[in-house]
Amino acid sequence: MGWSLAIYALLIFDKARPDTAIGYYQSKGASVRLEWDPSQTVLLEHIIWVCAGLSFINLAFNFYVANHSRLGWWVNIPLLFTCSLAAGLYIRFVV
């Protein structure tokens, strides 16, 4: 579920950020969005924090299972937690 939210966040990220290649767009006469879309940015931030929360819960569950059984650690859960935490902090404090 966490990875599904991360992929959905990537899909709306394009609408929540400024346009890239500004010089090219301006040379062709196209309108350029220089600001972040506030509604999409808030939605993106909420999705990223939910993704971080889910991955944290899953990380705690993974820690419990790894200590009480023979199953090993899953690498993708800490990776998702680290990425979503970094993205959430970036959107919260930089944007």
Side-chain angles (χ1 to χ4, degrees), residues 5-81:
L5 282 174
I7 290 171
Y8 180 66
L10 287 174
L11 291 173
I12 59 173
F13 178 72
D14 187 47
K15 295 181 179 124
R17 65 178 171 87
D19 288 328
T20 56
I22 293 172
Y24 176 76
Y25 286 141
Q26 288 178 342
S27 69
K28 299 295 181 184
S31 62
V32 177
R33 186 180 68 218
L34 299 174
E35 298 290 324
W36 291 72
D37 184 12
S39 62
Q40 292 290 329
T41 304
V42 170
L43 177 63
L44 179 64
E45 182 182 359
H46 289 141
I47 289 172
I48 287 175
W49 284 119
V50 168
C51 187
L54 284 174
S55 59
F56 181 74
I57 292 169
N58 202 355
L59 187 62
F61 179 72
N62 186 12
F63 179 75
Y64 175 77
V65 169
N67 286 335
H68 290 87
S69 70
R70 293 183 180 193
L71 292 175
W73 287 95
W74 299 326
V75 177
N76 64 349
I77 297 168
L79 178 67
L80 179 62
F81 177 67

